[in-house]
Amino acid sequence: MELVQNGAGRAAGERRAGSPAAARERAERRRALLLVSPGVLWMALFMVLPLAMVVYVSFWTQTTFTVEPTLTTESWARFLTSPTYISAAWTTVRIWAIVLVSTLLVGYPVALFIGLMVRNQTLQTALLVLCVIPFWTSFLIRVIAWRPMLGTEGAINSILLKIGVIDAPITSLLFSEFAVLVGMTQIYCVFMVGPITFMLARIEPSIIEAARDLGAGFGRIFWRIILPLSLPGVVVGAIFVSVMVLGEFATAAALSGRTVNLLGNIIVSQVGSLRWAFASVAGVVLTLVIAVVVSLLLRVVSLRKEV
């Protein structure tokens, strides 16, 4: 009896395997594998393999100007016990948090105006293009442009002196952490504005009208409807800003006068000194910080449900 049942099961399986539905399923599976193969190959060659190599090199033995493939934890111990490098890691995280909050505070009202107040799509597009106009110039030019603005004889000090707000130029505007924060906020704010604007533009006006007809004020509508529906855009913008700010080094070098030392600056200086093992340690630490930040941001909202 059991043999008969097993034989019947095999026969049914063979019939299903030869059916048009099974053939269509196999064809779709092959098509899916074909579509995903370039991306997997690209990620393996240009992300996984280099990252694995960086981790491997971080354990190599570093001498003054040479590095040997003899495994050791000396570079890791030096990084984790040095107050200079721990301070740089903390400065990187602190500046990331301040810039993230400042870009959100500046970018959200702008996105709210473009995405919710402006209903003309042509005007929306024009305003978004205005936001990205600074990106038509070089990144370095946008950073250096803050020097004549924040300098002792710069535009801001000149205006404040002329209107009588200050009696002497403020020397702490340039070559300070303040300058780095201002520069990064201006440069990366647009990456917060774009995703939030797109999410706000998807909100049906009838929902807000219905809440208004029921007697809700703007504050209540904002906290109960607008903010929750725009959270996916906030998270996407925060991921964009976080990844770029955490990997920054040029803005700090140009506007702080080397008074602000980020992990990115350590990597650049160590590579310049041919200390590949120590630069790899800093690179791995920076990658871990970025991974933790992105993971925490993704826990705020499930982006998969919003697609």
Side-chain angles (χ1 to χ4, degrees):
M1 184 65 181
E2 186 177 354
L3 290 174
V4 173
Q5 288 178 344
N6 291 338
R10 282 197 297 273
E14 290 172 356
R15 282 197 300 273
R16 282 198 299 272
S19 67
R24 188 167 55 250
E25 186 179 346
R26 287 196 296 273
E28 289 178 356
R29 194 178 300 121
R30 285 196 297 271
R31 193 178 301 117
L33 288 174
L34 191 63
L35 290 173
V36 80
S37 295
V40 171
L41 185 63
W42 178 273
M43 295 291 283
L45 286 178
F46 298 106
M47 195 190 80
V48 177
L49 190 60
L51 190 58
M53 192 62 194
V54 169
V55 174
Y56 180 48
V57 171
S58 71
F59 290 98
W60 284 13
T61 300
Q62 178 78 60
T63 58
T64 305
F65 294 110
T66 60
V67 60
E68 299 172 357
T70 305
L71 299 185
T72 176
T73 58
E74 184 181 344
S75 297
W76 279 94
R78 182 184 163 205
F79 184 95
L80 296 176
T81 56
S82 169
T84 302
Y85 302 125
I86 297 298
S87 173
W90 166 242
T91 303
T92 303
V93 174
R94 183 166 50 81
I95 285 183
W96 157 74
I98 297 173
V99 172
L100 183 64
V101 172
S102 59
T103 52
L104 183 60
L105 291 177
V106 175
Y108 198 96
V110 176
L112 191 63
F113 174 75
I114 299 175
L116 209 60
M117 306 298 179
V118 178
R119 284 300 170 188
N120 186 306
Q121 291 189 351
T122 304
L123 185 56
Q124 274 186 348
T125 305
L127 291 173
L128 284 174
V129 170
L130 282 176
C131 289
V132 299
I133 278 181
F135 284 80
W136 295 359
T137 61
S138 163
F139 172 83
L140 197 57
I141 290 175
R142 278 180 281 138
V143 173
I144 302 250
W146 279 104
R147 287 192 176 187
M149 292 288 291
L150 299 173
T152 305
E153 298 179 356
I156 294 177
N157 269 319
S158 299
I159 293 172
L160 294 177
L161 284 170
K162 185 169 288 186
I163 62 177
V165 176
I166 56 175
D167 297 326
I170 303 173
T171 57
S172 59
L173 290 181
L174 188 60
F175 299 132
S176 63
E177 186 174 312
F178 173 77
V180 176
L181 294 174
V182 171
M184 286 190 181
T185 301
Q186 183 268 325
I187 291 169
Y188 299 116
C189 189
V190 67
F191 293 100
M192 189 67 81
V193 173
I196 298 175
T197 300
F198 286 121
M199 290 307 299
L200 290 172
R202 291 174 57 182
I203 298 176
E204 287 291 334
S206 58
I207 299 175
I208 297 176
E209 286 296 328
R212 195 171 292 156
D213 291 343
L214 292 172
F218 179 78
R220 195 168 185 181
I221 293 174
F222 177 79
W223 286 109
R224 294 295 184 90
I225 298 174
I226 296 174
L227 185 59
L229 292 178
S230 65
L231 271 182
V234 174
V235 171
V236 172
I239 290 173
F240 286 157
V241 172
S242 299
V243 171
M244 286 181 283
V245 170
L246 287 170
E248 255 278 11
F249 65 93
T251 306
L255 297 182
S256 76
R258 299 186 182 278
T259 58
V260 175
N261 200 21
L262 306 178
L263 282 175
N265 299 103
I266 289 177
I267 295 172
V268 172
S269 64
Q270 295 298 318
V271 169
S273 303
L274 302 180
R275 295 175 180 170
W276 300 103
F278 199 78
S280 299
V281 173
V284 173
V285 171
L286 182 59
T287 304
L288 291 175
V289 172
I290 293 175
V292 170
V293 167
V294 173
S295 301
L296 292 175
L297 289 172
L298 288 175
R299 293 179 70 87
V300 176
V301 173
S302 176
L303 295 179
R304 186 177 298 177
K305 293 180 181 177
E306 305 297 333
V307 177

